[in-house]
Amino acid sequence: MSVAEGKGHYSNGPVFAVAPMIDWTDRHCRYFHRQISRNALLYTEMVVADAIIHGPRERLLAFDAEEHPVALQLGGSDPAKLAEAVRIAGPYGYDEINLNVGCPSDRVQSGTFGACLMLTPEVVADGVAAMKAVSKVPVTVKCRIGVDDQEPEAALPELLLRVLDAGADAVWIHARKAWLKGLSPKENREIPPLDCGIVYRMKERWPDVFIGINGGIQTLDEAAAHLKHVDGVMLGRAAYQNAGILADLDHRFFGAPAAVPDWDGLRDRMMVYAARHIASGGRLQHVARHMVGLFTGLPGARRYRQILSVDAAKAGAGPEVIAAAFAAVDFSGAKAALSA
């Protein structure tokens, strides 16, 4: 069920999230991740407010009810357009609306939003206030610690002061600068050094505000270490490229009983889901491409990846390809390997 009006999932202890990632965290990816963890907070890809207002709303906003809790990430800088996008998205039942203040791509820069907004915190605050005025679910911000030549110790607190005064319910901080000139989006995820300490200091300064950390987190052990200092942890590429690490998440962070993952059940659920998608005019590849990294490190994983990458892309491929891929994996010792 969708969260009730208020701070929702930010009122109930730690939050573990899978980051919004363009071209990756689409509805098929989110459905797949939800079959592995019942508690992870899932995010859409960034959707530009103008696209929601003028584009194919159902394609951009519709999602499966099983995805909850799921957050919609918006891109934009015009408060009126952001508010209109939130109004349009309201009936779809998202659990959170998040404003992107961290993406460094050229497309985002040309639209003067994403990481560019670190340079204009007053614009971010106006956007947050406009979104809060029409939203019945938490409105949050995902940002960097600064951009280009900004001094993070000045820029980040200034942004937080303004967005919190505007009513933001939570802030997720990618603990790296973004370089708007000279680095590609991929390089911006890897080259600027991580500074987790500044994120910890923001939490010390605002102890009553939810502050979560993102950037370079590879394992659940690292996530647990961060949770000693902040309220939430967000994994990006690590959770996507090795989705199996989500298998122990509910036990380690949310009190679920320790158990060997039900891989047969996961296979069957994804086959049913894929069949439904194909019946509606989609292709198996749309679903299977997100499953490729599931069994990284296990015997048979290479063959598993090959089947999903090659066979699922063939014309007329059906859910039986998923069954064949799972059959290639040796699951003995799987729990230990995947939770490492």
Side-chain angles (χ1 to χ4, degrees):
M1 294 179 62
S2 180
V3 294
E5 186 170 346
K7 291 190 181 288
H9 40 268
Y10 293 111
S11 302
N12 303 310
V15 173
F16 189 105
V18 177
M21 293 175 281
I22 294 175
D23 296 327
W24 288 9
T25 52
D26 64 18
R27 60 187 301 179
H28 308 305
C29 173
R30 300 191 306 267
Y31 185 92
F32 170 55
H33 284 169
R34 178 60 67 225
Q35 306 313 304
I36 305 173
S37 168
R38 303 312 303 174
N39 293 285
L41 172 62
L42 305 178
Y43 279 80
T44 69
E45 306 168 86
M46 181 186 69
V47 186
V48 178
D50 273 324
I52 292 175
I53 295 169
H54 303 293
R57 297 173 183 177
E58 188 69 13
R59 181 173 66 81
L60 293 170
L61 295 174
F63 63 94
D64 194 287
E66 284 201 29
E67 293 176 36
H68 289 294
V70 59
L72 169 66
Q73 187 182 65
L74 292 179
S77 58
D78 183 303
K81 290 181 178 179
L82 288 168
E84 180 63 14
V86 172
R87 278 193 290 265
I88 293 169
Y92 287 87
Y94 284 95
D95 299 293
E96 171 189 337
I97 308 294
N98 177 268
L99 180 61
N100 184 313
V101 190
C103 180
S105 75
D106 291 341
R107 181 168 68 92
V108 165
Q109 291 186 51
S110 67
T112 320
F113 56 96
C116 298
L117 291 174
M118 293 294 302
L119 298 167
T120 54
E122 68 282 358
V123 173
V124 182
D126 289 345
V128 169
M131 294 161 69
K132 282 288 293 184
V134 297
S135 179
K136 294 183 178 181
V137 296
V139 171
T140 67
V141 170
K142 185 173 185 290
C143 65
R144 294 281 186 135
I145 63 173
V147 296
D148 296 338
D149 294 323
Q150 279 187 321
E151 173 49 59
E153 294 289 354
L156 185 57
E158 171 69 10
L159 178 73
L160 265 62
L161 276 169
R162 288 182 179 267
V163 301
L164 294 174
D165 283 348
D169 295 293
V171 180
W172 289 97
I173 304 172
H174 186 151
R176 284 188 176 97
K177 268 190 174 185
W179 288 93
L180 302 178
K181 305 297 180 184
L183 293 182
S184 69
K186 180 179 185 297
E187 291 170 330
N188 262 301
R189 294 192 297 266
E190 299 169 347
I191 293 177
L194 286 164
D195 184 357
C196 298
I198 193 171
V199 183
Y200 298 166
R201 291 192 291 278
M202 295 304 100
K203 178 58 188 176
E204 292 171 358
R205 181 166 175 176
W206 283 281
D208 297 327
V209 172
F210 180 100
I211 293 179
I213 192 168
N214 171 231
I217 303 166
Q218 298 295 317
T219 68
L220 296 188
D221 285 344
E222 292 178 25
H226 284 302
L227 287 174
K228 295 177 181 178
H229 304 279
V230 292
D231 304 301
V233 173
M234 179 179 281
L235 267 68
R237 287 168 293 160
Y240 185 93
Q241 295 169 347
N242 183 15
I245 68 173
L246 299 176
D248 204 35
L249 175 66
D250 294 350
H251 167 59
R252 289 196 60 174
F253 297 103
F254 298 97
V260 175
D262 179 10
W263 300 122
D264 288 346
L266 173 63
R267 176 201 61 206
D268 294 346
R269 292 192 298 275
M270 293 310 300
M271 289 177 68
V272 169
Y273 178 80
R276 192 162 69 238
H277 176 62
I278 292 167
S280 69
R283 297 184 59 191
L284 178 64
Q285 186 181 29
H286 299 156
V287 176
R289 72 184 186 96
H290 300 296
M291 303 171 62
V292 170
L294 177 60
F295 296 121
T296 298
L298 291 184
R302 181 177 179 181
R303 179 60 181 149
Y304 168 87
R305 291 192 297 270
Q306 182 182 41
I307 292 170
L308 288 186
S309 298
V310 177
D311 294 355
K314 295 177 179 176
E320 68 278 358
V321 173
I322 295 176
F326 272 66
V329 181
D330 177 2
F331 292 107
S332 60
K335 181 174 172 55
L338 293 172
S339 61

